[in-house]
Amino acid sequence: MQVSFENIKMSYGDKDVLNNINFTIPEGKLVSILGPSGCGKSTTLMLISGLTFPSSGKIMFGDKEVTKQDAVKRKVGMVFQNYALYPHLTVLENIMFPLKMEKMPRKKREKRALELAELVQIKDHVHKKPKQLSGGQQQRVAIARALAKEPSILLMDEPLSNLDARLRIEMREEIRRIQQETGVTTIFVTHDQEEALSISDEVMVLNEGAIQQNSDPITLYNKPNNQFVAQFLGTPIINMIDVEQDKSILEWMPISDEAINQTKRIGIRAEDILTTSDERKMLFSGIVRHVARVGKDTTVHVKQGEDEVVATDLDIIPEEGELLYLTANINKVHFFDSKGGIVPVEEVARI
Amino acid sequence: MIDKPTFKSSFKAILYLFPMMLVIATFNLYPIVRSFLMSFYTDFNIFTQAVNGYGLDNFFTIFNDTSFWLAIRNTFIFVLGVVPTSIVLSLTIAILLKKVSFLSGFFRSIYFLPFVTSTVAISIVWNWIYHSRFGLMNYGLSFLGVDPIAFITDPNYSMLALVILAIWKGLGFNIILFLVGLNAINENYYSAAKIDGAKGWQRFTNITLPLLGPTMFLVSVMGVINSFKVFDEVFALFQSRPGPAGSALTVVYYIFQKFYQESQYGIAAAAGIVLFLIILVFTLLQMAFNKKFVHY
């Protein structure tokens, strides 16, 4: 089901957690809410689930308003960060629990629970207690339980944060597979950009109680709306070059003078950096401080004074101590104004 | 900090334990062994400490004593009357106390007061409350159109009076235990249960009660053990008599009578052993039950 927030405000005491949030999550999609801790992403999820209520604004499921309904009535599925599996019930009983609350006949709910156990591949462990399962298995049970009552919305609150690195990658593929098999509208909260970018149809970036950008993962990475999004996404972190003091390095670019005037900083992702021998087209020059080679990846740190630029996909492997001139294609350069917003840039022919 | 046990470290540990061991040995272990032996003395002189004969006569005597059977019967009625009601009441109050944040510390103290007040003082106050003509209880009942009841002097009501007093007195301690148990249940389970569509009562029966299992076990075992040992409430409430016509005669009161009033030491010890066995059996039963139903 489609979920939309209309002017949602949420405050605890005099602290505003969410500030006039508006968004629509389309039906059948997997949408991530991404942001640093304390940005209000978990609060957003709690508001959708009905475990907490907004200070003002409207929450709509489809075209039905549910703002005043509590969690028992909203009937969403939810996977908690620590799974919250009932410790006194077996895996099967845990999955059946929502159906038992619906008073579904025992035979029927057992059949349904076994189907779900099959879907999440936990069928061999249905008679164990949660304590006897590994983290990944508990996670699967939690997903099965959340899906048991065939919710139209599935919420996941940092479901992978308690797993180790390898299992995390495996489980996020699993979540994607299960979501596509069931077609349930899924809202996935995470602080891990890689997680969000790899499994979602759409990513909503939150910071300080406001939506920074809401788009598909590719756009989010390639065309960030502002400096926060640009810096939050991507490893290594995007290189920021301060151009306020010296705008001359931008002059070779085919962009308008107005755009150059507004620009305070430019951002270039590490993989977009190129070496150049043409001093006029150079954006940054410095001494190679360190070359790190890990497997197939080579990371080059170039330093000039206090500033440092990190490049990952250079066509040459320089020596430490070498002087490098660095540049980038103009369509890979992000221009930011003094407020951290993006400067609209149109290529103009330079005379 | 985990060292290999050496002679020196063991000696040090024993030295630390020694004072408490001495107290326990003197006041717990020695009397237990002594009374166990005493229950088999058939011919005993308390002044010379001379034992002239051993046997099972003491046990035959108490099993043929109608007042011993009465004491057993009364004690069982008391346990059955006190423990379940006390658990239900204290759990209810604990849940209410957890929900009410207003003055909750104040209410907790109030409920805990009876537990730390001397039993004799409490019994005297209740003696007044139960008074057939001037008591508060009968005053209250008069509004319901009930004729005055002689709680203390009517054999039909004396056990009821004792049970009410005992429940009221034990409430505070059980409430504290239940509060600890309730607070130990992670809020997440309730959130999950709400999401799963469990309404208030369903959350109570499906989450609170099962997760409260260990606390329930503790409270019931302690309640049963303490109730089987009831004595001072009886002694104080009925002014050093076992209730009218022996209607509140409990096993410990029986032991007290035999030992201090009739100087039948062997018989008193034998009754003590029987009580010990009864409590042991019940505790083992509860532990077996606990093993079967409370495990996660």
Side-chain angles (χ1 to χ4, degrees):
Chain A
M1 204 185 296
Q2 173 181 306
V3 179
S4 29
F5 271 31
E6 289 174 20
N7 301 320
I8 289 290
K9 263 193 187 173
M10 180 73 194
S11 24
Y12 292 114
D14 48 356
K15 191 176 172 276
D16 286 345
V17 183
L18 293 178
N19 225 329
N20 254 337
I21 295 261
N22 286 286
F23 65 78
T24 299
I25 288 166
E27 182 163 357
K29 291 275 165 48
L30 199 165
V31 176
S32 293
I33 302 178
L34 176 66
S37 51
C39 70
K41 56 188 191 300
S42 289
T43 308
T44 308
L45 209 65
M46 296 292 251
L47 287 172
I48 300 173
S49 70
L51 288 171
T52 50
F53 300 98
S55 312
S56 68
K58 272 208 287 193
I59 300 171
M60 312 282 287
F61 283 3
D63 44 15
K64 213 171 90 220
E65 186 180 347
V66 294
T67 318
K68 293 279 183 305
Q69 286 183 2
D70 69 358
V72 180
K73 289 216 187 84
R74 284 201 203 171
K75 302 197 162 144
V76 299
M78 185 158 173
V79 177
F80 290 81
Q81 186 170 0
N82 54 6
Y83 318 135
L85 297 176
Y86 309 122
H88 56 292
L89 301 180
T90 64
V91 166
L92 197 65
E93 287 167 332
N94 260 289
I95 302 174
M96 287 194 298
F97 188 80
L99 305 173
K100 192 177 162 195
M101 295 302 108
E102 277 178 6
K103 307 224 157 58
M104 186 188 271
R106 193 175 175 89
K107 279 265 177 302
K108 216 172 142 194
R109 67 178 189 242
E110 232 173 71
K111 190 167 158 274
R112 170 108 185 99
L114 283 170
E115 281 168 21
L116 281 160
E118 181 103 60
L119 175 75
V120 299
Q121 297 169 356
I122 197 80
K123 219 174 174 184
D124 301 338
H125 307 285
V126 287
H127 295 299
K128 288 185 182 167
K129 289 276 167 73
K131 221 170 72 181
Q132 294 163 282
L133 302 179
S134 70
Q137 290 167 335
Q138 289 188 21
Q139 163 94 82
R140 288 168 190 269
V141 179
I143 295 173
R145 183 180 66 181
L147 290 172
K149 58 184 166 194
E150 299 181 46
S152 42
I153 298 157
L154 176 64
L155 307 175
M156 298 186 147
D157 188 4
E158 307 231 8
L160 305 176
S161 61
N162 287 350
L163 303 177
D164 62 53
R166 204 169 277 258
L167 202 53
R168 205 176 295 174
I169 293 172
E170 185 193 319
M171 281 314 294
R172 82 179 183 222
E173 302 302 326
E174 276 295 281
I175 289 173
R176 186 64 179 154
R177 175 184 68 82
I178 292 163
Q179 194 269 332
Q180 278 172 344
E181 270 177 43
T182 55
V184 59
T185 309
T186 305
I187 301 163
F188 183 99
V189 158
T190 179
H191 62 268
D192 184 336
Q193 38 135 338
E194 201 190 319
E195 238 166 70
L197 295 182
S198 62
I199 68 169
S200 337
D201 296 309
E202 274 185 32
V203 180
M204 188 162 89
V205 181
L206 271 186
N207 189 38
E208 290 176 344
I211 296 175
Q212 305 294 321
Q213 188 164 357
N214 192 353
S215 60
D216 65 279
I218 308 288
T219 313
L220 199 66
Y221 189 77
N222 290 338
K223 294 273 168 244
N225 264 354
N226 57 39
Q227 198 179 324
F228 175 81
V229 176
Q231 287 186 304
F232 193 71
L233 294 171
T235 323
I237 189 167
I238 192 168
N239 296 298
M240 298 301 290
I241 299 168
D242 210 316
V243 295
E244 207 184 11
Q245 309 300 328
D246 183 14
K247 296 262 164 98
S248 61
I249 60 167
L250 297 179
E251 268 162 14
W252 61 272
M253 289 187 177
I255 56 175
S256 66
D257 289 338
E258 199 194 337
I260 289 183
N261 280 336
Q262 278 183 41
T263 304
K264 203 182 165 198
R265 267 174 242 106
I266 56 170
I268 312 165
R269 298 222 178 262
E271 68 272 21
D272 296 331
I273 288 182
L274 307 168
T275 52
T276 180
S277 51
D278 185 351
E279 240 180 280
R280 283 185 306 129
K281 289 201 166 181
M282 163 202 95
L283 288 170
F284 188 84
S285 72
I287 305 294
V288 178
R289 183 181 66 79
H290 181 57
V291 180
R293 303 186 68 169
V294 180
K296 63 180 170 42
D297 302 317
T298 305
T299 312
V300 179
H301 297 255
V302 180
K303 199 168 172 123
Q304 185 202 58
E306 286 297 295
D307 301 323
E308 190 175 273
V309 160
V310 179
T312 50
D313 285 40
L314 293 181
D315 47 359
I316 55 158
I317 296 173
E319 294 287 317
E320 286 181 19
E322 200 175 317
L323 176 71
L324 279 188
Y325 296 144
L326 302 175
T327 185
N329 278 329
I330 176 143
N331 57 353
K332 300 283 189 188
V333 178
H334 308 280
F335 301 85
F336 300 108
D337 62 20
S338 56
K339 288 192 185 105
I342 202 93
V343 178
V345 171
E346 270 177 54
E347 287 192 38
V348 293
R350 280 254 149 193
I351 308 139
Chain B
M1 276 306 282
I2 299 163
D3 298 326
K4 269 198 168 169
T6 59
F7 177 74
K8 205 180 149 200
S9 71
S10 303
F11 179 73
K12 216 164 128 187
I14 289 170
L15 210 61
Y16 279 119
L17 291 172
F18 184 72
M20 197 59 205
M21 297 272 269
L22 192 70
V23 173
I24 290 174
T26 316
F27 293 102
N28 290 51
L29 298 180
Y30 174 71
I32 287 173
V33 174
R34 204 48 216 279
S35 58
F36 188 74
L37 291 175
M38 202 183 267
S39 66
F40 296 104
Y41 296 171
T42 48
D43 191 353
F44 175 54
N45 188 328
I46 187 85
F47 301 109
T48 59
Q49 294 281 320
V51 185
N52 300 319
Y54 293 93
L56 293 170
D57 288 6
N58 291 325
F59 292 96
F60 295 134
T61 314
I62 57 169
F63 287 134
N64 287 320
D65 184 354
T66 48
S67 63
F68 180 71
W69 287 112
L70 176 68
I72 295 263
R73 187 177 149 261
N74 283 341
T75 309
F76 271 90
I77 292 173
F78 180 79
V79 171
L80 284 176
V82 170
V83 179
T85 321
S86 178
I87 287 177
V88 172
L89 267 182
S90 49
L91 180 57
T92 312
I93 295 172
I95 289 171
L96 292 178
L97 277 179
K98 192 171 176 268
K99 288 220 169 116
V100 181
S101 53
F102 176 70
L103 288 181
S104 71
F106 172 74
F107 283 121
R108 271 170 221 207
S109 315
I110 290 279
Y111 278 110
F112 201 62
L113 268 181
F115 188 74
V116 292
T117 312
S118 114
T119 309
V120 175
I122 285 175
S123 300
I124 290 170
V125 172
W126 276 88
N127 198 305
W128 292 335
I129 291 175
Y130 284 139
H131 195 281
S132 55
R133 285 170 63 197
F134 312 114
L136 196 61
M137 190 74 128
N138 278 317
Y139 181 68
L141 287 174
S142 71
F143 290 109
L144 301 174
V146 179
D147 287 334
I149 297 167
F151 285 101
I152 303 296
T153 47
D154 185 337
N156 293 322
Y157 288 100
S158 56
M159 185 50 85
L160 179 67
L162 188 65
V163 166
I164 293 174
L165 164 66
I167 290 172
W168 179 81
K169 185 174 179 292
L171 220 48
F173 189 64
N174 290 347
I175 289 171
I176 295 289
L177 289 179
F178 275 126
L179 271 175
V180 172
L182 286 173
N183 284 323
I185 299 175
N186 195 323
E187 241 353 273
N188 263 319
Y189 296 132
Y190 291 107
S191 298
K194 271 187 209 166
I195 294 279
D196 288 341
K199 298 184 190 76
W201 180 251
Q202 289 174 316
R203 287 200 293 276
F204 176 74
T205 53
N206 287 291
I207 308 293
T208 312
L209 276 187
L211 293 185
L212 218 49
T215 314
M216 202 66 94
F217 172 68
L218 181 70
V219 169
S220 60
V221 166
M222 289 188 30
V224 165
I225 292 177
N226 282 331
S227 302
F228 268 119
K229 296 192 305 187
V230 62
F231 168 75
D232 36 4
E233 284 92 340
V234 186
F235 189 82
L237 185 64
F238 301 105
Q239 274 123 26
S240 44
R241 283 185 309 115
S247 57
L249 179 71
T250 64
V251 177
V252 178
Y253 205 100
Y254 178 85
I255 296 169
F256 166 78
Q257 271 186 336
K258 292 291 168 207
F259 197 94
Y260 290 101
Q261 294 174 344
E262 299 171 19
S263 300
Q264 307 256 35
Y265 306 112
I267 288 175
I273 296 299
V274 171
L275 178 63
F276 164 72
L277 290 176
I278 291 173
I279 294 178
L280 183 70
V281 166
F282 271 85
T283 309
L284 289 178
L285 277 178
Q286 281 175 302
M287 278 167 82
F289 182 85
N290 184 51
K291 235 186 198 154
K292 196 146 190 236
F293 294 100
V294 186
H295 51 104
Y296 57 83

